[in-house]
C-alpha cells in the first residue's frame, strides 16, 4: 500500500528565547503584548502569539547574544502596548539604534516602537509591515510620547 505524502505549507511555528530568567522574560513580554504565558513544558515557558507562533523562553547561565523579535499588531493593540510600556516605565525608542528615545516611528504610515526585554533582547511592535507604503510622507518621522522613559 503506498504511503500518501502529507502536504503542508511552510509556517514558522516556534523559537527558543534564551533568557536570564524564563519567568521574568516570558511574563514581561506577555504583559506588554497582552498575551498569556502558557504552562511550562520541560525547560521552556511558552508565550504564543495570535498567529500560533510560540516563543519558548528558557533560562540559561551563559552570555546571551541579543536577538530581535518583531510583532505586527493592530492600531488598537499598539495603543495598549504603548500605554503599558509607558505605565511600566520601560524605556522606548523609535529606532533600533536608540537615536530617538522616548519616541515612536511612523514608518509606512503606521506606528512602531522598540524596547528591550529583561534579558536585553530587542523587541519591536509595529502596525504596518515594512515596505507596505514606501512613498508614505511619514517614513522617517518620529513622534514624542508623553510620559515615556
Amino acid at each position: 500500500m503506498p504511503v500518501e505524502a502529507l502536504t503542508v505549507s511552510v509556517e514558522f511555528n516556534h523559537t527558543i528565547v534564551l533568557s536570564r530568567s524564563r519567568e521574568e522574560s516570558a511574563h514581561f513580554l506577555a504583559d506588554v503584548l497582552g498575551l498569556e504565558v502558557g504552562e511550562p513544558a520541560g525547560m521552556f515557558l511558552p508565550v504564543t502569539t495570535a498567529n500560533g507562533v510560540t516563543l519558548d523562553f528558557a533560562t540559561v547561565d551563559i552570555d546571551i547574544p541579543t536577538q530581535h523579535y518583531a510583532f505586527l499588531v493592530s492600531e488598537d493593540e499598539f495603543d495598549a502596548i504603548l500605554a503599558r510600556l509607558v505605565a511600566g516605565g520601560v524605556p522606548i525608542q523609535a529606532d533600533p539604534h536608540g537615536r530617538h528615545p522616548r519616541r515612536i516611528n511612523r514608518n509606512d504610515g503606521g506606528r512602531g516602537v522598540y524596547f528591550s526585554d529583561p534579558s536585553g533582547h530587542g523587541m519591536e511592535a509595529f502596525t504596518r509591515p515594512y515596505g507596505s507604503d514606501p512613498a508614505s510622507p511619514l517614513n522617517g518621522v518620529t513622534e514624542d510620547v508623553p510620559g515615556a522613559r
Side-chain angles (χ1 to χ4, degrees), residues 78 82 85-86 90-107 110-116 123-125 138 140-149:
F78 187 88
L82 189 58
L85 290 168
V86 171
V90 177
I92 64 165
Q93 53 201 38
D95 67 302
H97 309 292
R99 292 183 295 241
H100 303 284
R102 297 174 301 283
R103 300 180 75 80
I104 62 168
N105 69 61
R106 295 301 315 272
N107 296 337
R111 296 182 293 161
V113 65
Y114 293 83
F115 56 99
S116 294
M123 302 292 176
E124 176 184 9
L138 296 175
V141 172
T142 65
E143 292 180 358
D144 185 54
V145 177
R149 279 194 48 206

Side-chain angles (χ1 to χ4, degrees), residues 25-144:
S25 291
H27 285 280
F28 170 83
L29 186 64
D31 290 347
V32 167
L33 297 180
L35 300 173
E36 298 290 325
V37 175
E39 291 297 317
M43 68 181 287
F44 303 113
L45 191 58
V47 174
T48 303
T49 65
N51 63 335
V53 174
T54 301
L55 292 96
D56 287 318
F57 288 85
T59 300
V60 295
D61 189 21
I62 61 171
D63 287 336
I64 300 172
T66 300
Q67 297 291 310
H68 175 73
Y69 299 92
F71 302 93
L72 181 62
V73 301
S74 71
E75 290 289 337
D76 288 341
E77 289 167 326
F78 187 88
D79 288 336
I81 289 165
L82 189 58
R84 287 189 286 267
L85 290 168
V86 171
V90 177
I92 64 165
Q93 53 201 38
D95 67 302
H97 309 292
R99 292 183 295 241
H100 303 284
R102 297 174 301 283
R103 300 180 75 80
I104 62 168
N105 69 61
R106 295 301 315 272
N107 296 337
D108 292 301
R111 296 182 293 161
V113 65
Y114 293 83
F115 56 99
S116 294
D117 87 333
S119 293
H121 294 302
M123 302 292 176
E124 176 184 9
F126 59 106
T127 62
R128 297 286 304 270
Y130 288 122
S132 61
D133 190 355
S136 172
L138 296 175
N139 288 335
V141 172
T142 65
E143 292 180 358
D144 185 54

